Amino acid sequence: MEKQYRVTAGMKLYEQVMEKIKGMIAQGIYSQGELLPSEKELMELMGVSRITVREALRQLSEAGLIETRKGKGSFVLVDRNQLDPQATAMREYWERFLLSTDARILLEPAIAQKAALTATPQEVARLEACLSDEFPEGSFHQTLVAMAHNPILDEWLTQLLEMEADPAITSLIPPARQKSSSVIFIDHHRKIFEAIRDGKSDYAYFYMKEHMEFVRSSYQEHFHFYYGSQEEASPPPGGRINNKQGDETL
């Protein structure tokens, strides 16, 4: 089969494969509920190894764009409109998220610093309980801010977390709930907790700032990839690739 895509400088190979698959979905070449080409077909189409294709599919699955079913293949989970970079609701959500996170970067490190100096054993124990993966990412921050004993700060964080909440218009999974990046979130929380537990206020400040900047950058990357400008992903000659379900070429 003739290879339709070429290597792009500055991007990892699996990221390029992800971009092409996302582009085909965004253009309606493959629709919600439909089966993507097999691993072998994607390898031939894009001129990459099976390892590269599998990593691309794994990342897309983790983000909720596709679902890979053993023995059946990978199915599209989203509608093309959910990847529309011009969608007003998505732009507004991203703008709100940035404003919220920027505000948190300014204030939460100072709150963590103060908590390291004033936290009671009971408060430290409650914060430690939030390290469990049974708690949502925001619970750690809400518990920490409550340690400042300032109702205005509690209300402030609640409002910001509401601004950052996943909108109903998308089914994609954000970084905080993806397996690979959620591990980093948990590790950051543990470092912040240990600094507060040990009374190391400067470390608590630094680790919280590091964490919030990671939150911002990981979400920024997520939004740019899934909702940024779409690179053209031309279909192969004759339209889409035939798959094992017997789809007709266009």
Side-chain angles (χ1 to χ4, degrees):
M1 178 183 295
E2 179 185 355
K3 296 179 177 62
Q4 303 298 318
Y5 302 112
R6 299 293 181 265
V7 172
T8 302
M11 292 183 68
K12 296 177 181 177
L13 281 176
Y14 77 85
E15 292 174 334
Q16 294 178 53
V17 175
M18 290 171 64
E19 179 71 25
K20 300 303 181 183
I21 295 173
K22 181 197 69 167
M24 289 191 289
I25 295 170
Q27 293 177 59
I29 298 171
Y30 293 97
S31 302
Q32 187 175 30
E34 291 188 331
L35 181 65
L36 288 176
S38 67
E39 289 183 2
K40 182 178 180 181
E41 289 168 328
L42 288 172
M43 290 165 56
E44 294 174 348
L45 176 67
M46 300 184 188
V48 296
S49 69
R50 187 178 297 274
I51 292 175
T52 298
V53 168
R54 284 184 174 175
E55 178 60 19
L57 294 176
R58 187 190 71 79
Q59 295 272 353
L60 292 171
S61 176
E62 191 169 283
L65 195 74
I66 66 172
E67 178 185 14
T68 300
R69 303 172 190 170
K70 189 173 181 180
K72 294 184 178 180
S74 297
F75 294 80
V76 179
L77 293 182
V78 298
D79 184 86
R80 61 179 298 185
N81 294 326
Q82 293 178 288
L83 299 177
D84 181 6
Q86 303 305 317
T88 300
M90 286 310 308
R91 291 202 309 273
E92 291 177 349
Y93 171 50
W94 175 226
E95 290 169 0
R96 292 197 308 271
F97 190 97
L98 277 182
L99 290 172
S100 171
T101 307
D102 285 345
R104 293 176 64 187
I105 290 173
L106 290 173
L107 291 179
E108 285 199 56
I111 294 172
Q113 185 178 43
K114 182 178 185 296
L117 299 174
T118 63
T120 66
Q122 293 79 12
E123 289 173 330
V124 170
R126 284 197 292 271
L127 188 62
E128 184 176 22
C130 293
L131 296 175
S132 168
D133 56 11
E134 297 178 1
F135 288 84
E137 203 272 341
S139 66
F140 180 89
H141 294 267
Q142 289 175 310
T143 300
L144 176 57
V145 169
M147 292 162 67
H149 304 289
N150 186 326
I152 293 177
L153 288 177
D154 292 340
E155 183 178 351
W156 164 80
L157 182 62
T158 297
Q159 292 176 344
L160 293 184
L161 290 176
E162 288 176 354
M163 290 173 64
E164 297 177 9
D166 302 344
I169 57 176
T170 179
S171 62
L172 294 187
I173 301 172
R177 293 193 284 114
Q178 293 179 20
K179 291 181 180 179
S180 57
S181 52
S182 65
V183 171
I184 301 175
F185 278 61
I186 294 171
D187 180 63
H188 284 181
H189 286 176
R190 181 163 292 281
K191 287 182 178 179
I192 296 165
F193 160 74
E194 291 175 351
I196 292 173
R197 179 197 63 192
D198 299 339
K200 297 179 178 179
S201 58
D202 290 342
Y203 282 89
Y205 181 98
F206 171 80
Y207 287 139
M208 179 58 81
K209 186 174 183 181
E210 177 187 51
H211 172 60
M212 290 310 307
E213 288 177 345
F214 174 77
V215 170
R216 192 186 195 282
S217 64
S218 61
Y219 272 78
Q220 189 168 29
E221 182 178 339
H222 173 80
F223 273 89
H224 176 73
F225 183 81
Y226 290 104
Y227 305 111
S229 59
Q230 299 287 353
E231 177 183 341
E232 289 298 323
S234 303
R240 52 193 285 164
I241 304 171
N242 283 327
N243 59 34
K244 293 181 180 180
Q245 283 187 330
D247 292 304
E248 295 179 355
T249 54
L250 302 178

